[in-house]
Amino acid sequence: MAQPLLRLDNVSKSFAGTDALSDISLEVEPGQVLCLLGDNGAGKSTLIKVLSGYHKPTSGTMKVDGEEVVFNSPRDASAKGIATVHQYGGTFPLMSVGRSFFVGAEPTKGWGPFKWFDKPKANKIAIRELKALGITRIHDGNRLVGGMSGGERQSLAIARAVYFGARLLILDEPTAALGVKEAAHVLRIIMQARRKGIAVIFVTHNVLHAMTVGDRFAVLIHGRKADDFAKGERTREQITDLMAGGEAMAELEAEIAAYEKEATA
Ligand SMILES: Nc1ncnc2c1ncn2[C@@H]1O[C@H](COP(=O)(O)OP(=O)(O)OP(=O)(O)O)[C@@H](O)[C@H]1O
Ligand SMILES: [Mg+2]
C-alpha cells in the first residue's frame, strides 16, 4: 500500500459553544481525489481550514508522509506542499493575472536591494500555465483577475498551486458558482492534477461532480463523518439521501404527497 500523503486521526475542532468537527479520521494518497461531501454547516470548510493551517484542531493528530505535523500558520501547511483554494475566493480581483499568479513568490531580477518584480516574465509564465490548463481566452497578463469568469479564476488558482509544486491540492466548492461548461472544465483540471500524482481534496455539494472525479468519498453530517466509501460503492441516490439526512428527504416526500392529494381532491 502507498503511504498516505495526509492522514487525520480523531481530529476535532470546537468554537465557543459549537463542535464544528468531531472525531474525524481520513487519509488521502498521492494521485487520489478525495471528495468531501456534506450539507451547509456540516463542517467542510472548517476541516479545510484545519488542513491548511488556519485553525488548530482542538484535539487529534495530522500526519504528512507518516510524520506528525502541527501547523501554526498557513505557511507551515504550504511548506508541506498543501495548497488550498478557499471557498469564495483565493484570487485577488484588483490584481493583474501575472501579479496574482506570483503573489507571495515574485520572480525578481537584479540582486540585493535592487531587485524588482519581473512583470513581463510573470505575465508570460501565468499565460503559459493557464493555456496548459485549457484557458485560451486570456492573452494579456496585465488583465485584472476581477474581469475573468469564475471558471477562469478557479483555473488560475489551481494553475499557480500546481506550478509551485503542490502535492495536495484542496479545493473548497470550486464548481459551486459555475455554469455546466465551466464546472466541467474545472473537473477536467482536477483530473489533470490527479494524473500528475497530486492528491486532491475536493469539497462539494454536487454529488454528480463528486462522482465524476472522485476515487474516495467522505460525507460529513453535523461535524461527524457519517460515511466513507470508494468509487462505485454507493449510488447517486444513496449519497444524496445521506447528505440530506434520510429523515429530511422522507419528510419532504410525505409533504409533497400530502400536497398532491390535496390538489387532486
Ligand atoms: N470561526 C468560527 N467561529 C464559530 N463558529 C464557526 C466558525 N467557523 C465555522 N463555524 C461553525 O461551524 C459549523 C461548520 O461550518 P463550516 O463553514 O465548516 O460548514 P460547511 O460545511 O463548510 O458549510 P457550507 O456548505 O455552507 O460551506 C457551522 O455551524 C459554523 O457556524
Ligand atoms: Mg463551506
Side-chain angles (χ1 to χ4, degrees):
M1 272 286 290
Q3 168 101 279
L5 178 61
L6 176 81
R7 182 182 160 127
L8 299 192
D9 285 296
N10 311 103
V11 165
S12 298
K13 174 71 188 173
S14 307
F15 298 106
T18 331
D19 294 330
L21 294 174
S22 307
D23 211 21
I24 304 290
S25 299
L26 281 178
E27 52 182 58
V28 58
E29 288 170 21
Q32 193 180 55
V33 179
L34 170 67
C35 296
L36 204 57
L37 293 154
D39 217 342
N40 292 119
K44 305 180 299 295
S45 293
T46 304
L47 181 56
I48 291 329
K49 285 175 187 163
V50 167
L51 299 181
S52 54
Y54 281 89
H55 291 322
K56 263 193 176 172
T58 311
S59 59
T61 58
M62 294 199 277
K63 286 180 180 156
V64 173
D65 300 321
E67 257 180 54
E68 191 168 334
V69 292
V70 174
F71 296 150
N72 290 306
S73 74
R75 198 170 279 272
D76 290 347
S78 60
K80 290 286 179 191
I82 299 177
T84 306
V85 182
H86 288 280
Q87 192 171 13
Y88 314 121
T91 49
F92 312 91
L94 295 177
M95 225 180 242
S96 74
V97 170
R99 171 75 72 172
S100 89
F101 195 88
F102 284 96
V103 74
E106 281 87 356
T108 49
K109 52 184 187 185
W111 51 274
F114 303 107
K115 283 184 185 175
W116 68 92
F117 181 66
D118 189 344
K119 201 162 130 187
K121 185 175 176 189
N123 286 350
K124 205 171 125 197
I125 295 172
I127 298 298
R128 185 189 72 206
E129 296 302 311
L130 280 173
K131 281 220 163 67
L133 291 183
I135 302 293
T136 52
R137 289 206 312 227
I138 312 284
H139 307 290
D140 180 5
N142 290 316
R143 266 189 61 175
L144 295 187
V145 170
M148 295 168 86
S149 75
E152 287 167 345
R153 280 201 214 189
Q154 284 292 337
S155 303
L156 177 68
I158 297 172
R160 70 188 291 276
V162 173
Y163 181 78
F164 289 106
R167 300 172 62 217
L168 170 61
L169 182 59
I170 302 179
L171 304 170
D172 195 354
E173 308 261 13
T175 58
L178 305 184
V180 177
K181 260 192 168 169
E182 290 220 299
H185 191 86
V186 169
L187 296 177
R188 219 171 280 132
I189 293 174
I190 292 175
M191 294 309 281
Q192 233 171 298
R194 176 182 181 272
R195 276 198 296 276
K196 286 186 178 158
I198 297 172
V200 181
I201 297 182
F202 173 30
V203 178
T204 181
H205 273 83
N206 190 307
V207 178
L208 199 57
H209 291 173
M211 291 181 86
T212 307
V213 297
D215 297 299
R216 288 208 65 88
F217 304 82
V219 180
L220 294 187
I221 297 180
H222 299 318
R224 290 184 180 278
K225 193 174 78 178
D227 200 2
D228 179 343
F229 49 92
K231 189 185 179 80
E233 288 179 352
R234 300 283 184 284
T235 64
R236 188 177 168 188
E237 290 70 28
Q238 284 172 324
I239 303 172
T240 310
D241 270 10
L242 182 65
M243 274 172 68
E247 286 164 40
M249 287 311 277
E251 255 170 50
L252 180 63
E253 273 165 26
E255 240 169 73
I256 291 170
Y259 176 79
E260 279 173 350
K261 207 170 148 195
E262 206 170 284
T264 54

